[in-house]
Amino acid sequence: MDEAGVGRRQFMKYCAGMTALMAMPPMATTAFAKQLRAARRPSVIYMPFQECTGCLESLTRSFAPSLESLIFDTISLDYNHTLQAAAGHAAEEARLEAMEENWGEYILIVDGSIPTKLNGMYGVSESHTFMEQLEQTAEGAAAIVAVGVCAAYGGVGAAYPNPTGAVGVADLIKNKPVINVPGCPPIPEVMTGTLVSFLANGVPDLDAHLRPRAFFGNTIHDRCYRRRFYDRGLFAKSFDDEGARNGWCLYELGCRGPTTYNACATIKWNGGAGWPVESGHGCIGCSEPGFWDQGGFYEPVTAKLFTERGESIAAAAAGVAVGAAAGLASKARKKKLASETE
């Protein structure tokens, strides 16, 4: 870092930013810096399977750290179809060499779902199915980071009727730590932040869906700046009415914020420039399992809509509906009281 012109002040500022990003206490900054300073650049193997490259495109737009800083100063990116110069046999030799030299220590990043029907024949590379490549590469990995909703839960590939039998990484790999970073695509800083966090402190605290709680511990609804309008029963009825122009809640237009866990409302996108709800569109719930099969994106969240996803989600949706009804009732009472007062 000294050779690259990065001073101690800049380094500590970066560590303070990362610990704040992950909701760690201020006193953790020094410990985080110590661990990160001691960590050598780990080998990272990035395996793309049934995907669209959108997650990698998102990663290239990370601001903290930037992609070039990540791959030149923090990690050693030894295999990635899109970014590496090698192709064909040379690319596969680079992967095998990285695995051999860093056995038991490299990080495996998986992007895209894994097709399982016809013994995995829907996805083949170098005469090996994606299933075989995943199992082979996962065997020597220290941990696996599944980036994107496809790698985490199957994503669009697993949408009904799931013709390829697409599944997420954790459905196949049971003997290695799996960290899910879902989204379509995920927030770039969440991807880089998860990697840096793993380097400094190992596998982070994960929720029931194997997502880092630091980034997926709250719903979009919890941190949304439109929440105050929801609590007051003020909802936009269309995307161009007066309520929409005044920033009212988008719940009745199908916003999935109440049942979606992600950091969009706090970290935002494009270096903090904004996020979908701030741009006037409801959250579509892209970091949740099965979001492609949750009905139309413009239907209000209801318990019935989420029945197939289990009682907890159904209960949450029911609670949201009750909260919305309570907000409307409160608004009606206030209006009545004002009328009686006049």
Side-chain angles (χ1 to χ4, degrees):
M1 286 190 173
D2 288 337
E3 292 175 357
V6 179
R8 183 179 183 280
R9 183 185 297 274
Q10 288 175 287
F11 177 67
M12 292 303 294
K13 183 178 179 181
Y14 169 75
C15 291
M18 287 305 301
T19 53
L21 189 66
M22 294 181 286
M24 298 170 67
M27 64 280 297
T29 298
T30 302
F32 185 90
K34 184 178 180 181
Q35 292 290 334
L36 195 58
R37 192 181 291 116
R40 72 180 186 87
R41 290 173 61 202
S43 173
V44 172
I45 296 176
Y46 191 120
M47 298 289 293
F49 293 129
Q50 202 165 236
E51 46 84 34
C52 68
T53 315
C55 296
L56 180 61
E57 287 286 346
S58 178
L59 180 60
T60 61
R61 288 154 177 77
S62 175
F63 283 78
S66 64
L67 179 69
E68 58 270 24
S69 171
L70 181 73
I71 64 177
F72 292 129
D73 301 330
T74 308
I75 66 172
S76 175
L77 185 60
D78 295 327
Y79 182 86
N80 178 278
H81 280 183
T82 305
L83 299 179
Q84 68 189 39
H89 294 299
E92 290 307 303
E93 288 173 5
R95 177 174 67 89
L96 296 175
E97 182 179 333
M99 289 171 56
E100 182 179 354
E101 293 180 355
N102 302 279
W103 189 262
E105 298 180 351
Y106 60 83
I107 300 172
L108 171 60
I109 297 179
V110 176
D111 180 359
S113 60
I114 303 92
T116 61
K117 284 188 178 178
L118 298 180
N119 294 319
M121 293 305 293
Y122 279 102
V124 178
S125 175
E126 280 286 303
S127 302
H128 295 284
T129 67
F130 290 167
M131 291 173 60
E132 292 170 336
Q133 288 188 326
L134 172 62
E135 291 167 359
Q136 177 195 42
T137 313
E139 186 179 355
I144 305 171
V145 180
V147 297
V149 72
C150 294
Y153 316 124
V156 64
Y160 181 82
N162 193 358
T164 66
V167 298
V169 174
D171 292 313
L172 297 177
I173 305 300
K174 304 296 185 180
N175 61 345
K176 295 287 182 178
V178 176
I179 305 170
N180 285 334
V181 185
C184 193
I187 302 170
E189 286 75 22
V190 171
M191 288 188 277
T192 56
T194 298
L195 286 174
V196 172
S197 173
F198 177 80
L199 293 180
N201 299 311
V203 178
D205 182 28
L206 305 177
D207 68 6
H209 293 301
L210 305 181
R211 302 174 294 197
R213 291 187 189 277
F215 300 114
F216 298 91
N218 296 101
T219 67
I220 298 293
H221 190 62
D222 291 333
R223 301 295 180 89
C224 182
Y225 74 100
R226 296 178 188 253
R227 175 64 184 267
R228 66 184 187 274
F229 295 112
Y230 169 90
D231 292 336
R232 293 163 57 190
L234 299 175
F235 303 99
K237 306 299 181 182
S238 70
F239 287 106
D240 61 352
D241 68 2
E242 182 181 0
R245 289 191 289 272
N246 289 327
W248 289 3
C249 180
L250 302 174
Y251 166 77
E252 294 188 2
L253 295 177
C255 181
R256 299 287 190 267
T259 54
T260 301
Y261 289 81
N262 210 333
C264 300
T266 50
I267 298 178
K268 301 185 179 183
W269 292 78
N270 299 317
W275 60 295
V277 173
E278 191 173 358
S279 299
H281 194 285
C283 167
I284 63 174
C286 71
S287 58
E288 296 301 310
F291 95 97
W292 287 102
D293 293 322
Q294 291 175 6
F297 292 134
Y298 304 107
E299 301 175 37
V301 176
T302 63
K304 181 179 179 182
L305 189 63
F306 289 87
T307 299
E308 295 182 358
R309 293 180 52 199
E311 293 182 2
S312 60
I313 296 298
V320 170
V322 170
L328 289 172
S330 175
K331 180 182 177 183
R333 285 195 300 271
K334 290 179 180 178
K335 186 176 181 180
K336 181 180 179 182
L337 180 62
S339 176
E340 292 175 349
T341 303
E342 290 176 357

